[in-house]
């Protein structure tokens, strides 16, 4: 080995070309590493952009309210008041898998219904559970605090016991465990002629040592209520609602750095002209985040206040969380991701109260869009948010039950549409063209998982979720041939680079290519062909296919068959006051594309009819012209257009281009001849001429400003066998753009070059290597040529000797 090293060193010092070659290889290697480091992409991070399906925490037979939840890792426990057929009590529901599934709830104590019991729960690090609530003692005519506890994660529970403190009234408890396992109780008590906040602690979860009131009430503060409390190490941070001398509510702050043995003086942190109420508190990176409701603007809104340096600095202006003008109530906080706080509340912007959420990034101080997470139609109120594992869970009350929903990290779904089968419209075309617009995702969309299903009876397969990616990211459409009559679902999920699946889009395709079967008619009062004296016949009918059914047309005529023209959606028709004679009841089914079935004829004989032969009856039933369908034209809805923008037009668009489908209703797609478009900074009208055939609005080269868009469609309808051409009413829209634009061609070209370089790291590395080789070899190109010619001479000499 030493001789090899000596030989290499001898070559380096004696042969200049070998030494220069080694230096060139070293320089090339260093430049390649630098290029790879320079052009490699950054880390891809994902964030919660959606929610899993909501689910019930409480069973249907228990009417519940006042939920409170605590979590420790993936262990989640919810407590609430419940009423089961008049039996009122405190219930607990336990989950061991991060709040996804709950054991059957159990009742831990019966209570009376004179007041709300407002149970609260705490979980220690070693699995102890403590539940406290208030109850009204009739004999004492006052409120007291009771508790139960479990030392084995809810497997067994103690008997209900009263916490003996000794004040005239104790109520509204809140319980917490600190990092030592010590139990803390915060409560309201009536003492000294006013309600105040008190603190007690217990080391054995039985005996509580209480202190004097936490708040020193003054003439300017009439009372202290509804504290929001956060534990962090030995620190306890508390924000509460205080009523001032003008009987308006503001928020105050105090803290303890020694597990509650002493407290700082109270500090006023809001100075509202109206009221600030119902605070909730969370600490992140030494900053305290307080959400509360405020009515400075007449209606209740949700605000976020930040106290920097553990509450030492409250000078930051409050951030408005809710964008609606409707009343918003009961805000709650939980940690959603490492830098994101989940804020939940309920408001009445849609009439019935709904649960809304928003994410606040503590690092960038940015707010996500508002998202409604409660389901229709029950009113939803009183949310509560906790963090379990890597997910945030929101609980709320709706229709006397507790509902929960978990956040999840997943890709946004694509926006699906079809020019051949617009959703909600029946078509006679049995070949569907399904298209979609890919969503934006931080880790990029890498493909889609799709599936096609035909719902069984009861719609069992309408909610299928494909689980295998079968399309790549470049696919934007699918053709579904030979569709059966009825409803078919196209299911699609987007898959991002991190392997997350979006929620499933269930696109509904409605096909009616064949006429409905002929209905079956009968009469319970007049059997067919049999003379009956009754003058009041009743006709009833059935049909095998009701999924595609729009209704029926019928007629009742004497002596001969007539065209059915009267439309009905009933399955029965009654007549009265008929004269003696032969009557023909004719009935046809109409599907949802206005296609009629074969006509069913049912004849009856009313009273005494003489000289009726079978030949005469057959002659009367012959049809000589088709059914008149003019009743459909009189019921045709006016066409309407809508542009499906890929963004919210209420907010500025930050891109330079986009594509938006044009949706047309009440006109079949095959009858649309084309579209006329108008887009400009000024308002205008589309000209009465077809400018494009397809229904995709393509816009590019956008700059900052406001744009006005107008669109109308040319179509035809067949009236009395002839085509009539029409223009639809104009559909207008307005959107704004906020982007830096292209200031100069040089900047535009530079942006393109940088984009290509950052996306092609390997090519750039090879280019740098090539340039490095060329640069290094320029200085001794003549030497390389000399050795090349010498090698060529030696090869020729060897060849000549061999020959």
């Amino acid at each position: 080995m030493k001789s090899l090293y000596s030989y290499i060193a001898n070559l380096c010092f004696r042969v200049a070309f070998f030494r220069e070659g080694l230096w060139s290889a070293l320089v090339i290697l260093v430049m390649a590493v630098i290029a790879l480091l320079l052009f490699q992409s950054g880390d891809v991070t994902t964030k919660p952009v959606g929610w899993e399906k909501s689910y019930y925490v409480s069973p249907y037979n228990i009417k519940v309210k006042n939920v409170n939840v605590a979590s420790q890792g993936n262990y989640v426990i919810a407590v609430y008041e419940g009423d089961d057929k008049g039996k009122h009590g405190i219930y607990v529901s336990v989950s061991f898998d991060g709040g996804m599934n709950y054991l059957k709830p159990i009742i831990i104590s019966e209570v009376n219904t004179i007041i709300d019991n407002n149970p609260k729960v705490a979980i220690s690090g070693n699995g102890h559970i403590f539940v406290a609530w208030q109850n009204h003692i009739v004999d004492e005519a006052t409120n007291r605090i009771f508790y139960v506890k479990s030392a084995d994660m809810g497997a067994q529970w103690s008997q209900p016991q009263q916490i003996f403190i000794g004040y005239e009234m104790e109520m509204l408890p809140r319980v917490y465990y600190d990092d030592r396992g010590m139990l803390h109780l915060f409560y309201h008590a009536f003492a000294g002629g006013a309600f105040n906040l008190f603190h007690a602690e217990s080391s054995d979860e039985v005996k509580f040592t209480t202190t004097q009131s936490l708040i020193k009430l003054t003439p300017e503060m009439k009372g202290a209520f509804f504290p929001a409390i956060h534990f962090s190490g030995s620190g306890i941070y508390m924000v509460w609602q205080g009523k001032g001398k003008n009987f308006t509510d503001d928020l105050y702050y105090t803290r303890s750095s020694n597990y509650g043995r002493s407290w700082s003086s109270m500090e006023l942190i809001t100075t509202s002209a109206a009221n600030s109420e119902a605070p909730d508190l969370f600490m992140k990176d030494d900053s305290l985040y307080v959400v509360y409701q405020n009515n400075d603007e007449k209606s209740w809104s949700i605000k976020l206040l930040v106290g920097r340096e553990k509450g030492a600095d409250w000078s930051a202006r409050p951030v408005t969380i809710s964008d609606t003008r409707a009343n918003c109530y009961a805000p709650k906080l939980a940690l959603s991701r490492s830098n994101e706080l989940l804020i939940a509340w309920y408001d009445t912007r849609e009439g019935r109260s709904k649960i809304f959420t928003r994410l606040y990034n503590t690092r960038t101080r940015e707010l996500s869009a508002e998202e409604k997470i409660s389901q229709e139609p029950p009113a939803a109120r009183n949310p509560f948010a906790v963090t379990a594992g890597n997910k945030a869970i929101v609980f709320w009350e709706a229709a006397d039950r507790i509902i929960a929903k978990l956040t999840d990290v997943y890709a946004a779904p694509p926006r699906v549409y079809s020019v051949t089968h617009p959703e909600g419209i029946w078509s006679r075309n049995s070949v569907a063209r399904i298209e979609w617009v890919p969503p934006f995702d931080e880790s990029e969309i890498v493909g889609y998982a799709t599936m096609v299903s035909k719902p069984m009876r009861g719609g069992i397969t309408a909610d299928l979720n494909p689980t295998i990616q079968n399309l790549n990211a470049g696919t934007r459409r699918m053709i579904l041939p030979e569709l059966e009559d009825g409803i078919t679902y196209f299911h699609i999920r987007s898959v991002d680079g991190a392997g997350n699946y979006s929620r499933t889009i269930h696109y509904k395709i409605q096909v009616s290519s064949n006429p409905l079967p002929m209905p079956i008619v009968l009469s319970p009062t007049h059997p067919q062909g049999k003379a009956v004296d009754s003058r009041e016949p009743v006709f009833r009918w059935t049909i095998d296919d009701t999924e595609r059914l729009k209704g029926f047309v019928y007629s009742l005529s004497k002596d001969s068959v007539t065209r059915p023209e009267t439309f009905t959606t009933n399955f029965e028709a009654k007549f009265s006051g008929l004269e003696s004679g032969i009557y023909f009841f004719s009935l046809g089914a109409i599907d949802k594309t206005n296609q009629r079935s074969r006509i069913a004829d049912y004849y009856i004989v009313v009273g005494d009819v003489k000289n009726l032969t079978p030949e005469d009856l057959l002659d009367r039933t012959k049809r000589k012209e088709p059914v008149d369908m003019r009743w459909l034209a009189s019921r045709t809805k006016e066409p309407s257009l809508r542009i499906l923008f890929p963004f919210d037009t209420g907010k500025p668009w930050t891109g330079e281009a986009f594509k938006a489908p044009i949706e047309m209703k009440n006109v079949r797609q095959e009858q649309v001849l084309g579209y006329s478009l108008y887009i400009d900074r000024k308002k205008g009208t589309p000209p009465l001429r077809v400018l494009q055939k397809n229904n995709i609005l393509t816009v590019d080269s956008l700059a900052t400003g406001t744009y006005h868009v107008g669109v109308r469609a040319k179509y035809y309808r067949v009236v009395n066998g002839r085509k009539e051409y029409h223009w639809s009413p104009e559909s207008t829209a307005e959107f704004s753009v906020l982007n830096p634009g292209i200031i100069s061609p040089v900047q535009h070209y530079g942006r393109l070059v940088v984009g290509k370089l950052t996306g092609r790291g390997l090519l750039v590395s090879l280019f740098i290597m090539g340039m490095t080789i060329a640069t290094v070899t320029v200085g001794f190109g003549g030497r390389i040529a000399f050795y090349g010619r010498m090698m060529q001479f030696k090869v020729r000499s060897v060849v000549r000797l061999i020959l």
Side-chain angles (χ1 to χ4, degrees):
M1 184 64 67
K2 291 183 178 179
S3 60
L4 178 61
Y5 290 155
S6 300
Y7 181 74
I8 295 175
N10 185 46
L11 286 176
C12 289
F13 288 104
R14 295 184 60 185
V15 182
F17 178 75
F18 187 83
R19 184 170 61 253
E20 291 172 347
L22 286 178
W23 278 110
S24 299
L26 179 62
V27 172
I28 292 171
L29 179 62
V30 172
M31 292 296 291
V33 172
I34 293 174
L36 289 173
L37 293 176
L38 181 64
F39 292 105
Q40 70 176 351
S41 60
D43 293 335
V44 177
T45 59
T46 59
K47 64 179 182 180
V49 294
W51 295 82
E52 293 183 353
K53 187 177 181 180
S54 59
Y55 57 92
Y56 288 105
V57 175
S58 61
Y60 72 94
N61 60 308
I62 303 177
K63 295 182 178 180
V64 303
K65 61 180 178 180
N66 296 329
V67 64
N68 183 259
V69 188
S71 64
Q72 194 71 250
N74 284 323
Y75 182 61
V76 181
I77 183 167
V79 300
Y80 43 87
E81 299 177 50
D83 189 291
D84 186 7
K85 299 179 181 179
K87 185 178 180 181
H88 197 78
I90 305 299
Y91 288 80
V92 296
S93 294
V94 178
S95 170
F96 292 94
D97 58 359
M100 298 179 65
N101 298 280
Y102 289 83
L103 301 179
K104 183 179 179 181
I106 61 173
I107 183 171
I108 57 175
S109 176
E110 292 189 20
V111 292
N112 60 45
T113 58
I114 298 175
I115 61 172
D116 281 352
N117 305 108
N118 289 306
K120 296 294 186 289
V121 61
I123 305 175
S124 71
N126 60 0
H128 286 209
I129 307 171
F130 193 91
V131 180
W133 66 91
Q134 65 180 11
N135 202 9
H136 185 76
I137 307 302
V138 178
D139 295 338
E140 299 180 24
T142 189
N143 297 336
R144 297 301 181 194
I145 297 174
F146 292 79
Y147 76 92
V148 297
K149 61 180 181 177
S150 172
D152 51 9
M153 301 183 74
Q156 294 179 327
W157 294 88
S158 67
Q159 293 297 315
Q161 300 289 333
Q162 180 182 339
I163 299 177
F164 293 94
I165 299 175
Y167 288 105
E168 185 176 344
M169 178 184 293
E170 299 119 9
M171 57 191 298
L172 298 174
R174 295 169 187 255
V175 289
Y176 305 87
Y177 284 98
D178 61 27
D179 59 357
R180 306 169 302 173
M182 185 76 73
L183 179 63
H184 295 259
L185 169 68
F186 294 83
Y187 62 98
H188 294 71
F190 190 78
F195 280 101
N196 208 331
L197 292 174
F198 293 81
H199 170 237
E201 63 179 20
S202 173
S203 59
D204 60 0
E205 302 170 348
V206 176
K207 296 180 181 179
F208 285 83
T209 302
T210 189
T211 61
Q212 296 299 315
S213 60
L214 295 178
I215 312 303
K216 183 178 181 181
L217 298 180
T218 64
E220 288 75 24
M221 182 184 290
K222 307 300 181 183
F225 308 93
F226 311 118
I229 303 167
H230 184 85
F231 280 70
S232 178
S234 62
I236 307 177
Y237 307 88
M238 184 169 68
V239 173
W240 75 92
Q241 174 183 329
K243 189 170 291 293
K245 61 181 180 180
N246 297 326
F247 294 96
T248 59
D249 292 311
D250 276 307
L251 300 184
Y252 295 80
Y253 166 70
T254 187
R255 72 175 180 178
S256 170
S257 59
N258 52 15
Y259 294 102
R261 290 190 293 272
S262 62
W263 295 82
S264 67
S265 59
M266 67 179 185
E267 178 182 357
L268 178 67
I269 60 174
T270 64
T271 54
S272 171
N275 296 282
S276 297
E277 301 180 357
D280 196 23
L281 175 65
F282 193 90
M283 188 170 76
K284 178 75 173 63
D285 298 331
D286 289 341
S287 291
L288 294 175
Y289 295 88
V290 181
V291 289
Y292 59 98
Q293 60 187 55
N294 174 271
N295 64 345
D296 280 353
E297 300 172 0
K298 307 306 179 184
S299 61
W300 289 102
S301 63
I302 305 301
K303 304 285 187 179
L304 173 66
L305 185 62
V306 182
R308 307 294 177 189
E309 300 177 8
K310 298 183 178 181
D313 178 14
W314 295 92
S315 60
R317 295 185 59 183
V319 179
T320 300
I321 300 300
S322 53
D323 291 336
T324 179
R325 300 295 297 178
N327 286 323
C328 305
Y329 305 100
K332 289 294 182 291
L333 273 174
L335 185 65
S336 178
R337 296 285 287 181
S338 59
N339 292 311
E340 289 179 332
L341 292 177
L342 173 71
I343 305 169
W345 72 93
Y346 78 93
D347 65 43
T348 58
R349 71 182 72 180
E350 298 182 9
R352 289 179 176 173
S353 55
K354 304 291 189 302
I355 306 298
F356 286 80
T357 62
R358 205 165 191 180
L359 295 175
Y360 178 80
N361 192 304
T362 59
R363 182 170 51 84
T364 64
R365 303 181 185 180
E366 295 177 346
L367 281 167
S368 69
E370 294 182 16
E371 185 168 12
K372 180 178 69 175
I373 65 171
S374 58
Q375 304 297 318
E376 303 288 353
R381 59 177 63 89
N382 299 334
F384 196 94
V386 295
T387 301
N390 62 346
K391 298 180 181 179
I393 315 175
V394 178
F395 301 79
W396 66 87
E397 303 169 21
D400 296 327
R401 297 185 71 179
I402 303 299
I403 299 176
K405 181 170 278 193
L406 292 82
T407 59
D408 197 8
V409 182
Y410 68 95
R415 185 167 52 81
V416 186
Y417 63 96
S418 173
V419 296
T420 59
H421 293 73
E423 197 163 25
I425 298 177
W426 286 81
S427 173
R428 298 183 188 179
N429 190 352
S430 62
V431 179
R433 174 178 171 142
I434 308 298
E435 301 179 79
W436 56 87
V437 178
F440 169 79
D441 193 274
E442 290 180 345
S443 56
E444 298 184 353
I445 299 299
V446 298
Y448 303 91
T450 63
M451 184 183 297
V452 179
S453 70
K454 184 78 173 176
M456 299 190 305
R457 189 180 300 275
I460 297 176
T461 62
D463 295 326
L464 286 177
N465 294 309
T467 58
I468 299 176
Q469 178 186 336
N470 54 4
L471 297 177
N472 58 35
T475 306
R476 298 288 187 272
R477 65 183 62 88
M478 279 190 70
I479 303 298
L480 306 181
E482 300 179 358
L483 294 174
E484 298 178 4
D485 286 340
I487 295 175
T488 302
Y489 282 93
F490 175 72
H491 315 276
I492 182 170
R493 305 171 73 184
S494 54
V495 186
D496 68 13
N500 299 314
Y501 282 69
S502 76
R503 66 179 177 86
T504 306
I505 299 297
H506 309 283
Y507 191 86
K508 194 176 184 180
I509 306 167
Q510 298 166 296
V511 175
S512 184
S513 59
N514 300 302
L516 290 168
M518 184 176 67
I520 301 173
V521 184
L522 57 87
S523 173
T525 60
H526 291 69
Q528 186 166 226
K530 184 177 180 180
V532 178
D533 290 334
S534 174
R535 311 289 175 165
E536 298 180 352
V538 176
F539 299 94
R540 294 173 183 163
W541 53 88
T542 61
I543 191 169
D544 290 336
D545 188 352
T546 58
E547 187 178 60
R548 300 183 287 141
L549 180 65
K550 180 177 183 178
F552 303 91
V553 286
Y554 70 88
S555 65
L556 181 66
S557 58
K558 186 180 180 183
D559 296 331
S560 63
V561 175
T562 60
R563 297 174 305 217
E565 296 179 351
T566 304
F567 180 78
T568 183
T569 58
N570 297 325
F571 286 76
E572 182 181 273
K574 297 180 180 180
F575 301 88
S576 61
L578 300 185
E579 299 176 356
S580 297
I582 301 175
Y583 290 84
F584 292 88
F585 181 77
S586 302
L587 179 75
I590 305 298
D591 71 9
K592 291 176 181 176
T593 66
N594 298 330
Q595 186 176 200
R596 68 177 178 86
S597 70
R598 291 175 54 200
I599 303 300
D601 295 312
Y602 187 96
Y603 74 93
I604 62 174
V605 180
V606 178
D608 188 17
V609 179
K610 299 179 180 180
N611 301 324
L612 179 63
T613 65
E615 292 76 14
D616 182 40
L617 185 61
L618 180 62
D619 184 69
R620 296 185 189 194
T621 59
K622 290 181 178 178
R623 295 185 175 278
K624 298 182 179 179
E625 53 185 326
V627 174
D628 186 6
M629 303 299 287
R630 286 177 296 177
W631 63 274
L632 288 173
S634 65
R635 290 170 171 79
T636 301
K637 297 180 180 179
E638 286 295 321
S640 63
L641 287 176
R642 185 176 60 151
I643 302 174
L644 303 177
F645 288 93
F647 54 87
D648 183 1
T649 56
K651 299 179 181 179
W653 170 245
T654 57
E656 297 178 359
F658 65 85
K659 292 184 179 181
I662 304 170
E663 180 184 70
M664 188 167 189
K665 294 185 177 181
N666 305 325
V667 176
R668 293 199 299 271
Q669 190 62 38
E670 57 266 25
Q671 293 179 284
V672 179
L673 302 176
Y675 301 87
S676 178
L677 304 172
Y678 173 86
I679 179 168
D680 204 339
R681 296 295 184 92
K682 300 179 180 179
K683 292 184 177 180
T685 302
L688 293 177
R689 66 176 185 275
V690 174
L691 299 179
Q692 69 178 50
K693 296 289 186 179
N694 62 64
N695 68 330
I696 302 298
L697 171 64
T698 302
V699 182
D700 55 14
S701 301
L702 293 173
T704 299
T706 301
Y707 289 85
H708 301 272
V709 181
V711 60
R712 59 176 57 176
K714 187 175 183 179
Y715 65 97
Y716 72 87
R717 279 183 172 150
V718 178
V719 179
N720 296 327
R722 300 182 60 185
K723 287 185 178 181
E724 292 186 356
Y725 297 91
H726 305 275
W727 282 96
S728 69
E730 179 186 356
S731 174
T732 61
E734 179 180 316
F735 66 92
S736 59
V737 177
L738 183 61
N739 62 55
I742 300 172
I743 301 176
S744 69
V746 175
Q747 289 182 340
H748 177 59
Y749 182 75
R751 185 185 305 177
L752 293 177
V753 171
V754 172
K756 292 181 178 180
L757 290 179
T758 56
R760 301 175 180 178
L762 179 60
L763 293 178
V764 172
S765 301
L766 294 175
F767 174 76
I768 293 177
M769 291 175 62
M771 292 297 296
T772 303
I773 292 173
T775 303
V776 171
T777 57
V778 164
F780 50 95
R783 188 183 296 272
I784 293 175
F786 168 77
Y787 282 106
R789 287 194 295 271
M790 183 177 66
M791 183 62 66
Q792 184 181 13
F793 171 78
K794 290 182 177 181
V795 170
R796 288 180 178 177
S797 300
V798 171
V799 171
R800 289 175 181 173
L801 290 173
I802 294 174
L803 294 177

